[in-house]
């Protein structure tokens, strides 16, 4: 590979870091949204889709 090794390995490393960062960000944001939904439902606020199922 010669002189291109640093560029290639650096590119793979950067892509791996970005992939891990996006995965962790998505996971943590999903957990935060689940907590928000639980707090809203505990306060008595329901989703529209839940009301439609109850009325049927």
């Amino acid at each position: 590979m010669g002189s291109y090794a640093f560029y290639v390995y650096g590119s793979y490393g950067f892509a791996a870091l970005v992939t891990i960062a996006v995965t962790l960000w998505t996971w943590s944001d999903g957990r935060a949204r689940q907590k928000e939904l639980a707090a809203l439902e505990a306060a008595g606020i329901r989703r529209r889709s839940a009301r439609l199922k109850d009325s049927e």
Side-chain angles (χ1 to χ4, degrees):
M1 237 185 211
S3 62
Y4 298 110
F6 179 75
Y7 172 76
V8 170
Y9 293 135
S11 297
Y12 279 134
F14 180 73
L17 285 176
V18 169
T19 302
I20 291 168
V22 169
T23 301
L24 290 175
W25 180 21
T26 302
W27 177 76
S28 66
D29 190 55
R31 287 179 51 98
R33 298 299 79 81
Q34 290 294 329
K35 287 179 184 178
E36 286 180 13
L37 281 174
L40 289 171
E41 288 179 356
I45 299 171
R46 300 283 182 238
R47 292 182 243 179
R48 279 185 276 169
S49 60
R51 275 191 241 136
L52 289 175
K53 290 178 183 176
D54 291 341
S55 65
E56 293 180 355

Short mmCIF file of all heavy atoms in Angstrom, two decimals:
data_model
loop_
_atom_site.label_atom_id
_atom_site.label_comp_id
_atom_site.label_asym_id
_atom_site.label_seq_id
_atom_site.Cartn_x
_atom_site.Cartn_y
_atom_site.Cartn_z
N MET A 1 0.81 -1.18 0.00
CA MET A 1 0.00 0.00 0.00
C MET A 1 0.87 1.25 0.00
O MET A 1 0.47 2.26 -0.54
CB MET A 1 -0.93 -0.02 1.19
CG MET A 1 -2.36 0.09 0.79
SD MET A 1 -3.42 0.20 2.21
CE MET A 1 -4.80 -0.61 1.50
N GLY A 2 1.94 1.19 0.64
CA GLY A 2 2.91 2.27 0.57
C GLY A 2 2.44 3.56 1.18
O GLY A 2 2.02 3.62 2.32
N SER A 3 2.51 4.62 0.41
CA SER A 3 2.23 5.96 0.93
C SER A 3 0.73 6.23 1.12
O SER A 3 0.37 7.23 1.71
CB SER A 3 2.81 7.00 -0.02
OG SER A 3 2.19 6.89 -1.29
N TYR A 4 -0.12 5.35 0.63
CA TYR A 4 -1.56 5.56 0.76
C TYR A 4 -2.12 4.92 2.03
O TYR A 4 -3.29 5.10 2.35
CB TYR A 4 -2.30 4.98 -0.45
CG TYR A 4 -1.92 5.66 -1.74
CD1 TYR A 4 -1.19 4.98 -2.70
CD2 TYR A 4 -2.29 6.97 -1.99
CE1 TYR A 4 -0.83 5.59 -3.89
CE2 TYR A 4 -1.94 7.59 -3.17
CZ TYR A 4 -1.21 6.90 -4.12
OH TYR A 4 -0.87 7.51 -5.29
N ALA A 5 -1.31 4.17 2.76
CA ALA A 5 -1.80 3.44 3.93
C ALA A 5 -2.38 4.39 4.97
O ALA A 5 -3.45 4.13 5.53
CB ALA A 5 -0.68 2.62 4.54
N PHE A 6 -1.72 5.48 5.25
CA PHE A 6 -2.22 6.43 6.25
C PHE A 6 -3.58 6.98 5.83
O PHE A 6 -4.50 7.06 6.64
CB PHE A 6 -1.22 7.58 6.45
CG PHE A 6 -1.69 8.59 7.44
CD1 PHE A 6 -1.66 8.31 8.81
CD2 PHE A 6 -2.17 9.83 7.02
CE1 PHE A 6 -2.10 9.25 9.73
CE2 PHE A 6 -2.62 10.76 7.93
CZ PHE A 6 -2.57 10.47 9.29
N TYR A 7 -3.73 7.32 4.57
CA TYR A 7 -4.99 7.86 4.07
C TYR A 7 -6.11 6.81 4.17
O TYR A 7 -7.20 7.10 4.63
CB TYR A 7 -4.83 8.31 2.61
CG TYR A 7 -6.13 8.70 1.95
CD1 TYR A 7 -6.73 9.92 2.24
CD2 TYR A 7 -6.76 7.85 1.05
CE1 TYR A 7 -7.93 10.28 1.65
CE2 TYR A 7 -7.95 8.20 0.46
CZ TYR A 7 -8.54 9.42 0.76
OH TYR A 7 -9.72 9.77 0.18
N VAL A 8 -5.82 5.60 3.75
CA VAL A 8 -6.84 4.54 3.74
C VAL A 8 -7.24 4.19 5.17
O VAL A 8 -8.42 4.15 5.51
CB VAL A 8 -6.33 3.30 2.98
CG1 VAL A 8 -7.27 2.12 3.17
CG2 VAL A 8 -6.16 3.62 1.51
N TYR A 9 -6.27 3.92 6.04
CA TYR A 9 -6.59 3.55 7.42
C TYR A 9 -7.23 4.72 8.16
O TYR A 9 -8.12 4.52 8.98
CB TYR A 9 -5.35 3.06 8.14
CG TYR A 9 -4.84 1.74 7.61
CD1 TYR A 9 -3.48 1.54 7.37
CD2 TYR A 9 -5.71 0.70 7.32
CE1 TYR A 9 -3.01 0.33 6.88
CE2 TYR A 9 -5.25 -0.51 6.82
CZ TYR A 9 -3.90 -0.68 6.61
OH TYR A 9 -3.44 -1.88 6.12
N GLY A 10 -6.79 5.90 7.88
CA GLY A 10 -7.40 7.09 8.49
C GLY A 10 -8.85 7.25 8.06
O GLY A 10 -9.72 7.58 8.87
N SER A 11 -9.13 7.00 6.80
CA SER A 11 -10.50 7.09 6.30
C SER A 11 -11.39 6.03 6.93
O SER A 11 -12.53 6.31 7.32
CB SER A 11 -10.53 6.93 4.77
OG SER A 11 -9.82 7.97 4.16
N TYR A 12 -10.89 4.80 7.04
CA TYR A 12 -11.66 3.75 7.70
C TYR A 12 -11.90 4.09 9.17
O TYR A 12 -12.99 3.88 9.70
CB TYR A 12 -10.95 2.40 7.61
CG TYR A 12 -11.15 1.69 6.30
CD1 TYR A 12 -10.06 1.13 5.63
CD2 TYR A 12 -12.40 1.56 5.72
CE1 TYR A 12 -10.23 0.46 4.42
CE2 TYR A 12 -12.58 0.90 4.52
CZ TYR A 12 -11.49 0.35 3.88
OH TYR A 12 -11.66 -0.31 2.69
N GLY A 13 -10.90 4.60 9.83
CA GLY A 13 -11.04 4.98 11.24
C GLY A 13 -12.06 6.09 11.42
O GLY A 13 -12.89 6.04 12.33
N PHE A 14 -12.00 7.09 10.57
CA PHE A 14 -12.96 8.20 10.64
C PHE A 14 -14.38 7.71 10.39
O PHE A 14 -15.31 8.08 11.10
CB PHE A 14 -12.58 9.29 9.64
CG PHE A 14 -13.51 10.46 9.66
CD1 PHE A 14 -13.48 11.36 10.71
CD2 PHE A 14 -14.42 10.65 8.63
CE1 PHE A 14 -14.35 12.45 10.74
CE2 PHE A 14 -15.29 11.72 8.65
CZ PHE A 14 -15.25 12.62 9.70
N ALA A 15 -14.55 6.86 9.38
CA ALA A 15 -15.87 6.31 9.08
C ALA A 15 -16.39 5.48 10.25
O ALA A 15 -17.58 5.55 10.60
CB ALA A 15 -15.82 5.47 7.81
N ALA A 16 -15.52 4.72 10.89
CA ALA A 16 -15.93 3.92 12.05
C ALA A 16 -16.35 4.82 13.21
O ALA A 16 -17.36 4.57 13.87
CB ALA A 16 -14.79 3.00 12.47
N LEU A 17 -15.59 5.88 13.46
CA LEU A 17 -15.94 6.81 14.52
C LEU A 17 -17.28 7.49 14.26
O LEU A 17 -18.10 7.64 15.17
CB LEU A 17 -14.85 7.86 14.69
CG LEU A 17 -13.58 7.39 15.38
CD1 LEU A 17 -12.55 8.51 15.39
CD2 LEU A 17 -13.87 6.94 16.80
N VAL A 18 -17.51 7.92 13.04
CA VAL A 18 -18.78 8.57 12.70
C VAL A 18 -19.93 7.58 12.86
O VAL A 18 -20.99 7.92 13.41
CB VAL A 18 -18.73 9.15 11.27
CG1 VAL A 18 -20.11 9.58 10.80
CG2 VAL A 18 -17.75 10.32 11.21
N THR A 19 -19.73 6.35 12.42
CA THR A 19 -20.78 5.33 12.55
C THR A 19 -21.10 5.06 14.01
O THR A 19 -22.28 4.98 14.40
CB THR A 19 -20.35 4.03 11.85
OG1 THR A 19 -20.09 4.32 10.47
CG2 THR A 19 -21.41 2.96 11.96
N ILE A 20 -20.09 4.94 14.84
CA ILE A 20 -20.31 4.70 16.27
C ILE A 20 -21.00 5.90 16.91
O ILE A 20 -21.93 5.74 17.71
CB ILE A 20 -18.97 4.38 16.96
CG1 ILE A 20 -18.47 3.01 16.50
CG2 ILE A 20 -19.09 4.43 18.47
CD1 ILE A 20 -17.04 2.71 16.89
N ALA A 21 -20.57 7.11 16.55
CA ALA A 21 -21.18 8.31 17.12
C ALA A 21 -22.65 8.42 16.76
O ALA A 21 -23.50 8.72 17.61
CB ALA A 21 -20.42 9.56 16.65
N VAL A 22 -23.00 8.16 15.51
CA VAL A 22 -24.40 8.24 15.08
C VAL A 22 -25.23 7.16 15.76
O VAL A 22 -26.37 7.40 16.18
CB VAL A 22 -24.50 8.16 13.55
CG1 VAL A 22 -25.93 7.98 13.09
CG2 VAL A 22 -23.91 9.42 12.92
N THR A 23 -24.67 5.97 15.89
CA THR A 23 -25.37 4.88 16.57
C THR A 23 -25.65 5.23 18.03
O THR A 23 -26.78 5.06 18.52
CB THR A 23 -24.56 3.58 16.48
OG1 THR A 23 -24.36 3.26 15.10
CG2 THR A 23 -25.27 2.43 17.18
N LEU A 24 -24.64 5.73 18.74
CA LEU A 24 -24.83 6.11 20.14
C LEU A 24 -25.81 7.27 20.29
O LEU A 24 -26.62 7.30 21.22
CB LEU A 24 -23.48 6.46 20.77
CG LEU A 24 -22.53 5.30 20.98
CD1 LEU A 24 -21.19 5.79 21.49
CD2 LEU A 24 -23.13 4.29 21.94
N TRP A 25 -25.74 8.24 19.39
CA TRP A 25 -26.64 9.38 19.43
C TRP A 25 -28.08 8.92 19.22
O TRP A 25 -28.99 9.33 19.95
CB TRP A 25 -26.23 10.39 18.37
CG TRP A 25 -27.06 11.62 18.27
CD1 TRP A 25 -27.89 12.15 19.23
CD2 TRP A 25 -27.17 12.49 17.15
NE1 TRP A 25 -28.48 13.30 18.76
CE2 TRP A 25 -28.05 13.52 17.49
CE3 TRP A 25 -26.59 12.49 15.90
CZ2 TRP A 25 -28.36 14.55 16.61
CZ3 TRP A 25 -26.90 13.51 15.03
CH2 TRP A 25 -27.78 14.53 15.38
N THR A 26 -28.31 8.05 18.26
CA THR A 26 -29.65 7.54 17.99
C THR A 26 -30.17 6.74 19.17
O THR A 26 -31.33 6.89 19.58
CB THR A 26 -29.63 6.65 16.73
OG1 THR A 26 -29.14 7.42 15.63
CG2 THR A 26 -31.01 6.13 16.40
N TRP A 27 -29.33 5.90 19.75
CA TRP A 27 -29.73 5.10 20.90
C TRP A 27 -30.10 5.99 22.09
O TRP A 27 -31.14 5.79 22.72
CB TRP A 27 -28.59 4.15 21.27
CG TRP A 27 -28.88 3.32 22.48
CD1 TRP A 27 -29.70 2.25 22.57
CD2 TRP A 27 -28.32 3.52 23.78
NE1 TRP A 27 -29.69 1.77 23.85
CE2 TRP A 27 -28.86 2.53 24.62
CE3 TRP A 27 -27.42 4.45 24.30
CZ2 TRP A 27 -28.52 2.44 25.96
CZ3 TRP A 27 -27.09 4.34 25.64
CH2 TRP A 27 -27.64 3.35 26.45
N SER A 28 -29.26 6.98 22.41
CA SER A 28 -29.53 7.85 23.56
C SER A 28 -30.76 8.73 23.31
O SER A 28 -31.54 8.97 24.24
CB SER A 28 -28.31 8.71 23.89
OG SER A 28 -28.05 9.63 22.86
N ASP A 29 -30.96 9.17 22.09
CA ASP A 29 -32.13 9.98 21.78
C ASP A 29 -33.40 9.15 21.89
O ASP A 29 -34.43 9.62 22.38
CB ASP A 29 -32.01 10.58 20.38
CG ASP A 29 -33.08 11.61 20.12
OD1 ASP A 29 -33.21 12.56 20.91
OD2 ASP A 29 -33.81 11.45 19.11
N GLY A 30 -33.34 7.90 21.47
CA GLY A 30 -34.49 7.01 21.59
C GLY A 30 -34.87 6.78 23.04
O GLY A 30 -36.05 6.77 23.40
N ARG A 31 -33.86 6.60 23.90
CA ARG A 31 -34.14 6.43 25.32
C ARG A 31 -34.76 7.69 25.90
O ARG A 31 -35.68 7.61 26.72
CB ARG A 31 -32.86 6.07 26.07
CG ARG A 31 -32.41 4.65 25.82
CD ARG A 31 -31.12 4.31 26.55
NE ARG A 31 -31.14 4.63 27.95
CZ ARG A 31 -31.40 3.75 28.93
NH1 ARG A 31 -31.67 2.51 28.62
NH2 ARG A 31 -31.38 4.12 30.19
N ALA A 32 -34.28 8.85 25.49
CA ALA A 32 -34.84 10.11 25.98
C ALA A 32 -36.29 10.27 25.54
O ALA A 32 -37.15 10.71 26.33
CB ALA A 32 -34.00 11.29 25.50
N ARG A 33 -36.59 9.92 24.28
CA ARG A 33 -37.98 10.02 23.81
C ARG A 33 -38.90 9.05 24.55
O ARG A 33 -40.05 9.36 24.84
CB ARG A 33 -38.08 9.75 22.31
CG ARG A 33 -37.33 10.71 21.39
CD ARG A 33 -37.77 12.16 21.43
NE ARG A 33 -37.27 12.92 22.55
CZ ARG A 33 -36.05 13.47 22.64
NH1 ARG A 33 -35.19 13.35 21.68
NH2 ARG A 33 -35.70 14.14 23.72
N GLN A 34 -38.39 7.84 24.87
CA GLN A 34 -39.18 6.88 25.64
C GLN A 34 -39.49 7.41 27.03
O GLN A 34 -40.61 7.25 27.53
CB GLN A 34 -38.45 5.53 25.74
CG GLN A 34 -38.36 4.78 24.44
CD GLN A 34 -39.72 4.31 23.94
OE1 GLN A 34 -40.62 4.03 24.71
NE2 GLN A 34 -39.86 4.25 22.64
N LYS A 35 -38.53 8.07 27.66
CA LYS A 35 -38.76 8.67 28.97
C LYS A 35 -39.78 9.79 28.89
O LYS A 35 -40.64 9.94 29.76
CB LYS A 35 -37.45 9.18 29.57
CG LYS A 35 -36.53 8.08 30.03
CD LYS A 35 -35.24 8.64 30.58
CE LYS A 35 -34.29 7.53 30.94
NZ LYS A 35 -33.01 8.04 31.44
N GLU A 36 -39.70 10.61 27.84
CA GLU A 36 -40.67 11.69 27.65
C GLU A 36 -42.08 11.12 27.46
O GLU A 36 -43.04 11.62 28.03
CB GLU A 36 -40.31 12.55 26.45
CG GLU A 36 -39.14 13.47 26.69
CD GLU A 36 -38.81 14.31 25.47
OE1 GLU A 36 -39.64 14.37 24.53
OE2 GLU A 36 -37.72 14.90 25.45
N LEU A 37 -42.20 10.07 26.65
CA LEU A 37 -43.51 9.44 26.44
C LEU A 37 -44.06 8.86 27.74
O LEU A 37 -45.25 9.00 28.03
CB LEU A 37 -43.40 8.33 25.39
CG LEU A 37 -43.38 8.78 23.94
CD1 LEU A 37 -43.11 7.58 23.04
CD2 LEU A 37 -44.68 9.44 23.57
N ALA A 38 -43.20 8.23 28.52
CA ALA A 38 -43.65 7.66 29.80
C ALA A 38 -44.13 8.77 30.74
O ALA A 38 -45.15 8.61 31.42
CB ALA A 38 -42.52 6.86 30.44
N ALA A 39 -43.42 9.90 30.76
CA ALA A 39 -43.82 11.01 31.62
C ALA A 39 -45.16 11.60 31.16
O ALA A 39 -46.02 11.92 31.98
CB ALA A 39 -42.74 12.09 31.63
N LEU A 40 -45.34 11.74 29.86
CA LEU A 40 -46.60 12.27 29.34
C LEU A 40 -47.75 11.32 29.63
O LEU A 40 -48.84 11.75 30.03
CB LEU A 40 -46.50 12.53 27.84
CG LEU A 40 -45.62 13.70 27.42
CD1 LEU A 40 -45.44 13.71 25.91
CD2 LEU A 40 -46.23 15.01 27.89
N GLU A 41 -47.54 10.03 29.44
CA GLU A 41 -48.60 9.06 29.71
C GLU A 41 -48.91 8.98 31.20
O GLU A 41 -50.06 8.80 31.58
CB GLU A 41 -48.22 7.69 29.14
CG GLU A 41 -48.28 7.67 27.63
CD GLU A 41 -47.90 6.34 27.01
OE1 GLU A 41 -47.49 5.42 27.77
OE2 GLU A 41 -48.02 6.22 25.79
N ALA A 42 -47.91 9.16 32.06
CA ALA A 42 -48.14 9.18 33.50
C ALA A 42 -48.96 10.41 33.90
O ALA A 42 -49.71 10.37 34.87
CB ALA A 42 -46.82 9.16 34.25
N ALA A 43 -48.81 11.49 33.13
CA ALA A 43 -49.57 12.71 33.40
C ALA A 43 -50.98 12.64 32.83
O ALA A 43 -51.75 13.58 32.99
CB ALA A 43 -48.83 13.93 32.83
N GLY A 44 -51.31 11.57 32.16
CA GLY A 44 -52.65 11.40 31.62
C GLY A 44 -52.79 11.79 30.17
O GLY A 44 -53.89 11.74 29.62
N ILE A 45 -51.70 12.19 29.54
CA ILE A 45 -51.76 12.57 28.13
C ILE A 45 -51.54 11.32 27.30
O ILE A 45 -50.57 10.60 27.47
CB ILE A 45 -50.70 13.63 27.80
CG1 ILE A 45 -50.96 14.88 28.64
CG2 ILE A 45 -50.68 13.95 26.32
CD1 ILE A 45 -49.87 15.91 28.56
N ARG A 46 -52.48 11.03 26.42
CA ARG A 46 -52.41 9.83 25.60
C ARG A 46 -52.14 10.20 24.14
O ARG A 46 -52.41 11.31 23.70
CB ARG A 46 -53.73 9.05 25.67
CG ARG A 46 -54.08 8.62 27.05
CD ARG A 46 -53.26 7.41 27.44
NE ARG A 46 -53.63 6.95 28.76
CZ ARG A 46 -52.79 6.85 29.77
NH1 ARG A 46 -51.54 7.17 29.62
NH2 ARG A 46 -53.18 6.42 30.93
N ARG A 47 -51.66 9.22 23.40
CA ARG A 47 -51.42 9.42 21.97
C ARG A 47 -52.73 9.28 21.21
O ARG A 47 -53.64 8.57 21.62
CB ARG A 47 -50.43 8.38 21.45
CG ARG A 47 -49.04 8.57 22.00
CD ARG A 47 -48.13 7.55 21.41
NE ARG A 47 -47.65 6.72 22.50
CZ ARG A 47 -46.85 5.70 22.36
NH1 ARG A 47 -46.43 5.35 21.17
NH2 ARG A 47 -46.45 5.01 23.39
N ARG A 48 -52.83 9.97 20.09
CA ARG A 48 -54.05 9.87 19.27
C ARG A 48 -54.31 8.45 18.82
O ARG A 48 -55.44 8.00 18.78
CB ARG A 48 -53.95 10.79 18.05
CG ARG A 48 -54.27 12.23 18.38
CD ARG A 48 -54.28 13.04 17.12
NE ARG A 48 -52.89 13.41 16.85
CZ ARG A 48 -52.46 13.93 15.75
NH1 ARG A 48 -53.28 14.15 14.75
NH2 ARG A 48 -51.21 14.26 15.60
N SER A 49 -53.25 7.73 18.49
CA SER A 49 -53.42 6.35 18.04
C SER A 49 -54.00 5.48 19.15
O SER A 49 -54.76 4.56 18.89
CB SER A 49 -52.09 5.78 17.54
OG SER A 49 -51.13 5.80 18.59
N ALA A 50 -53.67 5.76 20.41
CA ALA A 50 -54.21 4.99 21.52
C ALA A 50 -55.71 5.26 21.67
O ALA A 50 -56.48 4.36 21.98
CB ALA A 50 -53.48 5.32 22.81
N ARG A 51 -56.14 6.51 21.45
CA ARG A 51 -57.56 6.84 21.55
C ARG A 51 -58.36 6.14 20.48
O ARG A 51 -59.46 5.69 20.73
CB ARG A 51 -57.76 8.34 21.45
CG ARG A 51 -57.59 9.03 22.77
CD ARG A 51 -58.05 10.46 22.69
NE ARG A 51 -56.90 11.27 23.00
CZ ARG A 51 -56.51 12.35 22.37
NH1 ARG A 51 -57.20 12.81 21.37
NH2 ARG A 51 -55.45 12.99 22.73
N LEU A 52 -57.81 6.04 19.28
CA LEU A 52 -58.55 5.38 18.20
C LEU A 52 -58.76 3.91 18.52
O LEU A 52 -59.83 3.36 18.27
CB LEU A 52 -57.80 5.54 16.88
CG LEU A 52 -57.78 6.93 16.27
CD1 LEU A 52 -56.89 6.95 15.03
CD2 LEU A 52 -59.18 7.37 15.91
N LYS A 53 -57.78 3.26 19.08
CA LYS A 53 -57.92 1.85 19.41
C LYS A 53 -58.93 1.65 20.52
O LYS A 53 -59.66 0.69 20.54
CB LYS A 53 -56.57 1.26 19.78
CG LYS A 53 -55.62 1.14 18.62
CD LYS A 53 -54.28 0.57 19.05
CE LYS A 53 -53.32 0.53 17.89
NZ LYS A 53 -52.00 0.09 18.28
N ASP A 54 -58.97 2.56 21.50
CA ASP A 54 -59.91 2.44 22.62
C ASP A 54 -61.35 2.63 22.19
O ASP A 54 -62.25 2.01 22.72
CB ASP A 54 -59.57 3.46 23.72
CG ASP A 54 -58.25 3.12 24.40
OD1 ASP A 54 -57.81 1.97 24.30
OD2 ASP A 54 -57.68 4.03 25.05
N SER A 55 -61.58 3.50 21.22
CA SER A 55 -62.95 3.82 20.81
C SER A 55 -63.56 2.77 19.91
O SER A 55 -64.76 2.74 19.70
CB SER A 55 -62.99 5.18 20.13
OG SER A 55 -62.26 5.13 18.91
N GLU A 56 -62.75 1.90 19.36
CA GLU A 56 -63.27 0.87 18.45
C GLU A 56 -63.93 -0.26 19.18
O GLU A 56 -63.67 -0.69 20.22
CB GLU A 56 -62.17 0.31 17.55
CG GLU A 56 -61.67 1.33 16.59
CD GLU A 56 -60.58 0.77 15.69
OE1 GLU A 56 -60.14 -0.36 15.87
OE2 GLU A 56 -60.15 1.52 14.81
#
